[in-house]
Amino acid sequence: MAINLAKKFSPVVDEKFKTESKSSLVVNSDYDFIGTHSISIYTVGTAPLNDYGRNTAGTSRYGTPEDLDTSIQEVEMEEDKSFTFTIDKMDEDETLGALNAGKALARELDQEVVPYVDKYVYQKMADNAGTTATEDLTAQNTYDSLATANAIQDEASVPEQGRVAVLNPTTHKNLKADDRAVLDTEIGQNMRIKGVVGEMDGDLIQKVPARLLPEKVNFILAHPVATTFAAKLTEYKIHTDAPGVSGSLVEGRIYFTAFVRNNKKAAIYVSKATA
């Protein structure tokens, strides 16, 4: 690998744009995998309602008792990713500090790790959505499509408070072009850095680069109760003068998974383009 040593270079590095995690708004951390590679989640059924036999002879006036049905969802850790690089001591010195281990590690997280995790989470959500609609959105029908998604979640008793509409930039543009779409843009800075651009009809409206969403996805309407993200190990290290290295050896590893609970799939609605 060629290293461009400094002659009359500026010490200010031309950084790529970085991004905060977007998917953190639509996941929960209800489960952990401490001490295990997988977990089992029970789903318990219910009993049907009967007509009470007020004047019925015998003892079974409530109906015939039966055991409740149960099912088990097995979930495993899936992703085990790592990275490593070195920065020679003299390369750091002779590039005016541009090759700095601490800054390079932060850059790796911002530009590689966070986008990878976000894309993985959104793919999991799309693959396990309760409803997937195929439609081509325009400025005339984007608001209606979001309204339909909310209506479907209303019927499924998905909590109204906490829903997030994750839009790609084109869908967001179409939504803004519809006069019926009234966005409340009084959003705090902590939400803005996560891509939230406003609130509409009780939904947080989050704009996300199309490259992070699965192919053809216009938007995802989701409640964070549906998708669980678990990172069992996030480890980032800077070794100074490690064996065989004169300088810094940087290593990182993230061991994680995401899954949608079977009984919560209705809390994810996906709109996909036809082409």
Side-chain angles (χ1 to χ4, degrees):
M1 180 182 296
I3 301 294
N4 294 310
L5 302 182
K7 296 179 180 178
K8 291 184 179 180
F9 286 92
S10 168
V12 179
V13 179
D14 183 16
E15 299 282 10
K16 289 185 178 180
F17 293 114
K18 67 178 183 178
T19 180
E20 296 287 337
S21 174
K22 302 293 192 299
S23 64
S24 59
L25 277 182
V26 291
V27 297
N28 65 73
S29 55
D30 293 347
Y31 299 89
D32 65 59
F33 289 73
I34 296 175
T36 182
H37 175 71
S38 64
I39 60 173
S40 299
I41 303 172
Y42 276 102
T43 297
V44 180
T46 57
L49 290 178
N50 305 307
D51 292 327
Y52 179 72
R54 183 172 181 177
N55 298 313
T56 303
T59 58
S60 298
R61 296 187 177 186
Y62 292 91
T64 303
E66 297 180 356
D67 293 336
L68 289 179
D69 293 331
T70 62
S71 61
I72 297 176
Q73 180 180 4
E74 294 283 351
V75 181
E76 295 184 349
M77 299 299 295
E78 288 188 347
E79 294 286 309
D80 195 354
K81 298 299 182 183
S82 63
F83 61 84
T84 183
F85 57 86
T86 60
I87 297 178
D88 186 271
K89 192 174 295 183
M90 288 297 97
D91 288 339
E92 180 173 1
D93 178 78
E94 295 177 357
T95 55
L96 302 177
L99 282 172
N100 175 272
K103 292 180 180 179
L105 174 56
R107 187 181 302 115
E108 181 74 16
L109 299 180
D110 290 336
Q111 298 178 15
E112 297 292 337
V113 176
V114 170
Y116 184 91
V117 171
D118 281 350
K119 189 169 184 177
Y120 168 82
V121 170
Y122 290 132
Q123 186 67 62
K124 280 288 182 181
M125 295 172 67
D127 290 344
N128 295 277
T131 302
T132 300
T134 303
E135 55 192 351
D136 292 322
L137 297 185
T138 66
Q140 286 71 45
N141 65 0
T142 298
Y143 178 81
D144 290 331
S145 180
L146 273 169
T148 297
N150 274 290
I152 289 175
Q153 293 198 357
D154 289 343
E155 289 294 335
S157 299
V158 176
E160 293 185 30
Q161 188 171 8
R163 296 179 193 174
V164 181
V166 184
L167 282 58
N168 70 32
T170 300
T171 303
H172 176 244
K173 177 184 176 182
N174 287 333
L175 182 65
K176 289 177 63 179
D178 193 323
D179 293 337
R180 296 171 296 172
V182 180
L183 271 68
D184 178 5
T185 57
E186 295 296 324
I187 301 298
Q189 182 63 24
N190 62 325
M191 288 287 100
R192 290 192 178 279
I193 63 175
K194 295 181 179 181
V196 176
V197 294
E199 185 176 352
M200 186 187 73
D201 298 342
D203 301 338
L204 285 179
I205 305 298
Q206 184 187 37
K207 184 171 64 171
V208 168
R211 66 180 180 276
L212 297 182
L213 297 174
E215 188 178 5
K216 299 183 182 180
V217 166
N218 301 312
F219 70 83
I220 301 174
L221 179 66
H223 193 286
V225 71
T227 308
T228 297
F229 176 79
K232 189 172 182 179
L233 177 66
T234 53
E235 185 177 65
Y236 311 113
K237 299 176 287 187
I238 300 176
H239 305 281
T240 301
D241 293 335
V245 178
S246 174
S248 299
L249 169 66
V250 181
E251 297 174 322
R253 181 184 180 189
I254 178 168
Y255 186 39
F256 64 97
T257 194
F259 60 92
V260 176
R261 283 181 272 177
N262 288 336
N263 268 359
K264 300 294 190 296
K265 290 185 177 183
I268 303 175
Y269 179 104
V270 174
S271 168
K272 297 183 70 174
T274 60

